[in-house]
Amino acid sequence: MTRPALPDLPGLLAPFRLGPLTLPNRLAVAPMTRISATDDGVPTAAMARYYARFARGGFGLVITEGIYTDCAYAQGYANQPGLTDMAQALAWRDVVRAVHAGGGRIVAQLMHAGALSQANRFRGDTVGPSAVRPVGEQMRVYAGTGPYRMPRAMTEAEIGDAVAGFARAATLAREVAGFDAVEIHGANGYLLDQFLTGHTNQRTDRWGGDIQDRVRLAVETAHAVRAAVGAGFPLGIRISQGKVNDFHHKWPEAAQGAATVFGALAGAGVDYLHVTEFEAWRPAFPGDPSSLVEHARRAAPGLPIVANGGLHDTARALEVLRQGADLVALGRGALANPDFPGRLAAALQPRPFDPALLSPLGNLKPGEVTEEEHAGRVTAQPAAG
């Protein structure tokens, strides 16, 4: 017999309206890099089963892994899925239909890797805001080896092409694949975050300078995507301080920088902000008790906020709701518990997280694991739940 819901959980299990979407609860699946598409970026049947599993488990919203947006420099990893042509878009349609059949809604996260690209079937070089080699080394879990390559500073035309790529991918996401929303990936050290970050953006033109100028590319990308998908179609943007190659980075502008970034994005036509930190409830800056969620809430008082980072503990999830978040996105918690919402409703304790779940799906051979294990073994972006 199903046990009653725990008394402190209605906040997580309450419905929420995100634009035209009525979600059954406040729980979302965070974007997690899976490197499980075909060599030419086409989503697979295994991916459809993987995403549908979360919908069947009760998650109201599922956010995809980062999807590359153009055939020039956007691709970050081998076997990363794209949204650049009809073959990719039609394969994503199958994924979307599987999620809808499970009762969920699905968001396409659009990503340009920029200088952090480790594998690109179109190009052998990388680009970024400036010719600054990224710190750290390529991620071996994504088949990278050695230091990141030295990027070439993007020309004005290439910046325009990158923005146009986001817009074209968003159009395919809505009109062909049938996604319920799109999310611009402006976090974790990828291209838009490279422009936002002072030490990777040393430009002296309109794309560089102070933080209000460095956020310009994210703002213009949001404007372009909004124009592409039209009014009324949900559009979000994901923002972080930490990066996959610089995990503990903090904005040196601290609270004022957060106000500038979130205020600019709130005015750019997005429908929600997706804020991610390693542990989302903790103070964002030394000497300041406010979390990044709280800074976002102050800068964008009427805008829905998705919080991500270490929130598989329900007490922490409820804490960020009190801080001003509207939705909670889970990575590790969702991997261990694709039925997380159902378990909460039944007053069942979540299953503990097994680090083995972080094995990239793309490295598994058919027949090595069961279908359910195959669907659960993915690689999470840092700060992804």
Side-chain angles (χ1 to χ4, degrees):
M1 183 173 62
T2 300
R3 286 175 281 178
L6 296 176
D8 60 345
L9 296 180
L12 290 172
L13 297 176
F16 183 74
R17 190 161 182 85
L18 184 64
L21 304 178
T22 299
L23 307 178
N25 53 54
R26 306 300 182 97
L27 294 162
V29 177
M32 291 177 278
T33 300
R34 302 177 65 249
I35 55 171
S36 54
T38 66
D39 290 342
D40 51 359
V42 176
T44 63
M47 291 171 60
R49 293 192 299 270
Y50 163 78
Y51 283 114
R53 191 180 182 208
F54 295 116
R56 293 195 306 270
F59 281 94
L61 196 67
V62 178
I63 306 172
T64 73
E65 62 211 276
I67 303 169
Y68 67 82
T69 52
D70 64 49
C71 297
Y73 295 102
Q75 184 178 359
Y77 306 110
N79 299 107
Q80 179 185 2
L83 254 175
T84 67
D85 58 36
M86 194 60 66
Q88 293 169 344
L90 290 173
W92 274 117
R93 181 188 290 179
D94 292 337
V95 176
V96 171
R97 286 174 173 170
V99 170
H100 287 171
R105 295 290 178 262
I106 183 166
V107 181
Q109 190 195 65
L110 306 179
M111 168 185 155
H112 191 303
L116 293 190
S117 178
Q118 296 187 179
N120 185 337
R121 66 191 179 95
F122 306 104
R123 306 278 182 168
D125 59 341
T126 61
V127 296
S130 303
V132 176
R133 188 188 301 276
V135 301
E137 295 197 344
Q138 297 182 52
M139 289 175 285
R140 288 178 293 176
V141 72
Y142 301 150
T145 57
Y148 286 95
R149 289 170 285 180
M150 174 68 78
R152 176 175 53 78
M154 297 175 77
T155 67
E156 183 74 23
E158 288 170 333
I159 293 172
D161 289 343
V163 173
F166 276 95
R168 285 192 301 270
T171 300
L172 288 171
R174 180 179 188 179
E175 296 184 0
V176 179
F179 280 99
D180 299 294
V182 293
E183 177 177 295
I184 298 165
H185 197 343
N188 298 115
Y190 298 115
L191 183 71
L192 301 186
D193 189 33
Q194 291 160 28
F195 272 81
L196 180 61
T197 302
H199 69 265
T200 53
N201 182 353
Q202 300 181 3
R203 301 179 73 98
T204 58
D205 59 8
R206 69 192 183 105
W207 304 106
D210 293 338
I211 195 166
Q212 61 263 32
D213 296 313
R214 300 196 308 270
V215 77
R216 177 174 285 122
L217 183 57
V219 168
E220 294 208 5
T221 300
H223 283 310
V225 172
R226 171 56 70 207
V229 299
F233 188 73
L235 167 63
I237 187 165
R238 177 174 164 104
I239 294 294
S240 72
Q241 298 190 90
K243 305 148 194 338
V244 295
N245 65 318
D246 192 1
F247 200 65
H248 299 290
H249 175 79
K250 299 289 185 183
W251 295 335
E253 299 87 355
Q256 184 55 52
T260 298
V261 170
F262 292 129
L265 295 173
V270 300
D271 295 300
Y272 70 87
L273 298 171
H274 184 173
V275 177
T276 178
E277 292 270 79
F278 173 60
E279 293 179 323
W281 67 90
R282 292 194 183 278
F285 309 109
D288 181 338
S290 297
S291 69
L292 204 60
V293 168
E294 290 173 301
H295 284 287
R297 174 51 66 220
R298 284 196 286 268
L303 203 61
I305 293 174
V306 180
N308 170 229
L311 300 177
H312 45 280
D313 181 328
T314 54
R316 297 303 189 188
L318 290 164
E319 185 173 349
V320 298
L321 291 184
R322 289 191 293 270
Q323 291 178 356
D326 299 287
L327 298 171
V328 171
L330 305 182
R332 286 172 288 169
L335 293 181
N337 301 273
D339 57 348
F340 195 99
R343 294 186 72 82
L344 290 189
L348 299 175
Q349 288 297 321
R351 303 177 192 90
F353 176 71
D354 179 358
L357 291 171
L358 295 180
S359 174
L361 177 60
N363 290 346
L364 298 176
K365 298 177 182 178
E368 285 187 334
V369 292
T370 67
E371 180 177 314
E372 288 209 345
E373 290 170 331
H374 189 72
R377 292 191 179 184
V378 300
T379 299
Q381 295 170 358

